[in-house]
Amino acid sequence: MTKTNIASLSQQITTEAEAYEHLQALRWGDTPICAHCDSTDVSLIVPTNGTSRRTAGGSMSERRVWRCHGCRKQFSVLTGTMMHATKIPVRTWLLVIFEMCASKNGVSAREVERKYGLTPRTAWHLTHRIRSAMAGGDGLLSTMHGTIVADETYVGGDPERMNAKTRARRDHLRDTPWSGFDRGTAKVPVLSLINAETGEVRSAVLPKVAGHNLRKVISEQVDMAGSRLMTDEGAWYNELGREFIEHNAVNHKAHEYVRGDVSTNMAENFFSQLKRSIDGTHHHVSVEHLPRYLAEFGFRRSTCKMSDEARMRLL
């Protein structure tokens, strides 16, 4: 069986009608489901000429619309998704989604703009909609349970190499009540949690690396009473670790990186990929939008054992 790639996908969906049918197969399979009441008692509203319909504005559209016989509402395969009410061609959406699911280093909005003939604002909007969807989905919203690797890093440039404009903006942000900046550095603190058993990754931007900030994030994402915690020697984990079944730490200051099955290498590997990709693909990520990029890289890392096609279907 031939694996799906960007070339084969573009051959499968050459028109908007085929894009709708492909998306329908991804979302519903063989049985369309009402997006409003989950009923399967629905019927396709067939256009007069069989392929397209005239919209209220007078243009022709190949959008496939369904009517639910239960709630009597109309819906399409886009209803309730990241593509809801979009004016971007569905074919473009599917190709960009596949690229972002398959590209280990990510895809920048500027690349999408050039490849698909979009405006800069449209490409930016499209890629961030997809990143927002990557922040949650089937199997990614339940509480983490098991052996959890926790580690923090700092994302951003060296303040000594900033130009005057960037430094002034940095100083302004550091003076705000909450800016995402640790007041002792120009970089942004990020905490990542990795389930050592499933490989799932979740990350969050911190206002500052401190015990109460770490506990807030971890308690929201992890079943602490039923899990084991692995960290480095950071003192902020000591009090927090008492709420877990077990807390094991390696001492990086003493050049201890692995002790038995205790290690934070999974987090270090994730940080390495994240930072190299941000530097090479995006070059700069603002504090305001960093959580979406973290969700994107976390989604790909969490589903790294899936095929590109399966990852696209999940998204």
Side-chain angles (χ1 to χ4, degrees):
M1 182 177 179
T2 304
K3 291 184 177 180
T4 300
N5 52 43
I6 195 68
S8 63
L9 184 63
S10 62
Q11 291 174 354
Q12 291 175 34
I13 48 177
T14 58
T15 65
E16 276 296 276
E18 291 176 345
Y20 273 98
E21 290 175 355
H22 188 86
L23 187 58
Q24 179 180 313
L26 286 175
R27 183 175 183 184
W28 295 325
D30 297 328
T31 307
I33 301 173
C34 176
H36 304 289
C37 68
D38 294 331
S39 171
T40 56
D41 185 14
V42 300
S43 59
L44 178 66
I45 302 175
V46 181
T48 306
N49 63 2
T51 58
S52 59
R53 65 178 64 250
R54 188 173 297 280
T55 65
S59 60
M60 299 303 293
S61 171
E62 293 180 294
R63 178 169 169 260
R64 293 165 61 86
V65 180
W66 301 75
R67 177 181 288 113
C68 176
H69 299 294
C71 65
R72 311 298 297 176
K73 293 181 180 179
Q74 295 185 6
F75 64 96
S76 77
V77 73
L78 308 183
T79 304
T81 71
M82 69 183 98
M83 294 166 278
H84 189 95
T86 183
K87 295 182 180 179
I88 305 170
V90 176
R91 182 177 185 273
T92 300
W93 271 101
L94 290 176
L95 293 175
V96 175
I97 288 173
F98 187 87
E99 274 207 71
M100 291 185 67
C101 285
S103 301
K104 185 177 182 180
N105 294 321
V107 181
S108 70
R110 284 295 188 181
E111 287 183 74
V112 172
E113 172 197 343
R114 293 193 303 271
K115 289 179 180 178
Y116 298 95
L118 303 175
T119 65
R121 288 186 62 181
T122 299
W124 172 264
H125 166 84
L126 184 151
T127 53
H128 274 287
R129 277 271 186 109
I130 296 172
R131 291 186 183 103
S132 294
M134 287 176 168
D138 294 341
L140 296 179
L141 295 180
S142 59
T143 303
M144 298 175 76
H145 179 90
T147 301
I148 307 300
V149 178
D151 200 7
E152 70 287 339
T153 190
Y154 290 85
V155 177
D158 184 348
E160 298 300 324
R161 303 180 65 180
M162 291 181 179
N163 58 38
K165 182 179 179 180
T166 304
R167 187 177 293 108
R169 181 174 181 272
R170 183 274 311 263
D171 293 339
H172 170 71
L173 285 172
R174 287 175 64 186
D175 291 335
T176 58
W178 192 95
S179 62
F181 280 94
D182 186 327
R183 299 190 67 82
T185 179
K187 299 187 177 185
V188 185
V190 170
L191 170 70
S192 286
L193 305 172
I194 303 180
N195 190 320
E197 295 154 11
T198 65
E200 181 183 352
V201 180
R202 300 186 192 180
S203 302
V205 175
L206 299 174
K208 184 177 182 179
V209 177
H212 62 281
N213 290 329
L214 294 169
R215 189 190 184 286
K216 182 178 186 301
V217 174
I218 294 175
S219 63
E220 291 173 351
Q221 301 292 337
V222 179
D223 174 17
M224 298 168 65
S227 299
R228 174 192 180 198
L229 181 66
M230 293 197 299
T231 68
D232 57 20
E233 74 283 359
W236 38 78
Y237 290 113
N238 293 338
E239 186 69 26
L240 179 64
R242 296 189 179 97
E243 300 185 51
F244 285 79
I245 293 176
E246 185 179 357
H247 174 210
N248 304 113
V250 289
N251 191 347
H252 289 172
K253 290 182 179 179
H255 304 290
E256 180 187 47
Y257 301 100
V258 179
R259 188 180 68 253
D261 66 342
V262 181
S263 172
T264 59
N265 285 349
M266 294 182 72
E268 300 290 350
N269 292 341
F270 174 70
F271 293 147
S272 175
Q273 177 65 49
L274 171 69
K275 291 183 178 182
R276 289 172 188 272
S277 299
I278 288 178
D279 289 345
T281 301
H282 304 289
H283 307 310
H284 170 74
V285 173
S286 66
V287 178
E288 296 85 351
H289 299 291
L290 180 58
R292 293 198 189 107
Y293 290 91
L294 295 176
E296 175 190 359
F297 285 93
F299 176 79
R300 278 197 298 266
R301 175 61 180 80
S302 300
T303 59
C304 64
K305 293 185 179 180
M306 291 184 178
S307 66
D308 295 334
E309 183 179 9
R311 190 177 299 110
M312 179 183 182
R313 183 180 298 274
L314 173 62
L315 180 61

